[in-house]
Amino acid sequence: MIAAHETEIVVYGGPAAGVTAAVAAAREGARVILLEPGRHLGGMVSGGLGYTDLGDARVLGGLAREFMLAVADRYGVPAGHYAGPEPHVAEQIFTDWLTEAGVDVVFDARLLSVDATDGEIRALGTTAGTYRAGMFVDAGYEGDLLAAAGVPYAVGREGRSKYGESLAGRQEFAPGKHQFPTTVSPLQDDQPLRLVHQRPLVAPGEGDGGVMAYGFRVCLSSAPDRLPFEQRPGYDPAEWELARRWFAVLRANGVEPAAGDVIGLVPNLPNGKCDGNSIGPLSLSLLDGTNWAYPDADEDLRERIRRRHADYTRDFLWFMTTDPAVPRSVRDGLRAWGFAPDEFGGGLPHQLYVREARRMNGEYVLTQHDLLPRPVRQYDAIAMGSYHIDIREVQRTWSVAYEHPDPAPWVFNEGYLSVAVAPYQIPYRCIVPKYDDCRNLLVPVCLSASHVAFASVRMEPQYELLGQAAGVAAAHAFRTGCAVQQLDVRHLQERLVAAGAVLAL
């Protein structure tokens, strides 16, 4: 018989936002249970994204700043000396926080069903039992709880006409470090090579539901005890023909790439470790379109997508360090690194980098107009963002270069966009559903935003800040017996400021 549990607040999902939501609610005096579908806490912060994208440090307050101070304390360095800790240290900090706050944590609690009637969630059915509460927080990267509760949401990029955003929709071709030379052919026997997305292109500015590329942010070490990359059973050298053509074009143009041109190899973590990021046109980000179905997929399909990304990552590292078509400068540079033996069992992280999935259609949709050209002042601000609009590549596709004397097919990565913004306020209305959709749910990660605006908000420090706001709001709404949409926002802001939050500059 499946056990039933009663509490005041249930937080579903244990990424950093889930941890801060649970800790903040518990500090407000609420009884909290945190349900994590997997077996680890911290999401990307402890799952490979050690080098944290911050933006303007002045907006960092509350638990996000506490985390930065905790990292400094663990290593005996000034605050901000490291952009982030080693993955296992991040998870330990989060674990300690939850223990100190008295939060019950349940692992392997994958969502099975939601009892939602009359605009309220009553209980969650999970693989670990049934959980009833007065307030719920969906802190997962996928937005599974909000979707199961019947809250409307969006997936993928909209067209420019949806919100009148000039940056929305399919992007024009733009050269840069993430782009192939225009002479790399994508075809073999008139068929696209593997690692090329075969979906037809929509016109520039139109929406197509595409989501940013996923991948694994690997934690590497150059220490003598590093673990070398190994060939995976099932490795297929034929998959890497596109890479061979890329390197051949570079060689023909007299370009000798470094290993850092395919993966970031700067020792940017404590103890000489490296958070490997996606740098070049062929990188740790998988751009063959296999992730487009992930947000709405069932768990079986998601697991196949995760496995595909894991296989790709292992194969990428093996190819780049062993294939004779790879320039020696790249092979030798990467061979100086290996998996850190004390992280993830000496292999890939436990967390796939789901850069975006569902986005709630809530009380207010944050759009490009709230960020640019000047930030809009929000009366119900609960946090601030500052990182640039960072839309990573959505697909790798191909076209015909008709402007050349001899028209020929060429491959290119599409979707990348980077636009600076000034620090802006994030309104409370973005983390609550519409009143008629659900009255006891808060959503700090899959919040209500356009694809463009979400690309700035989606950084872990912002998630931590929004998680804290969601936790305080959940505790206050439960205590006063009101719907989350009817919360006294001024009181919420006062509690957040008292806890160190920065709501305006």
Side-chain angles (χ1 to χ4, degrees), residues 396-412:
R396 178 178 297 119
T397 186
W398 65 281
S399 185
V400 176
Y402 290 107
E403 67 274 15
H404 287 231
D406 297 312
W410 55 286
V411 66
F412 64 96

Side-chain angles (χ1 to χ4, degrees), residues 366-389:
L366 195 75
T367 70
Q368 174 185 330
H369 306 295
D370 293 294
L371 281 58
L372 296 170
R374 291 182 299 276
V376 172
R377 187 164 185 82
Q378 309 287 354
Y379 72 87
D380 57 343
I382 52 170
M384 295 193 72
S386 64
Y387 200 73
H388 57 267
I389 294 171

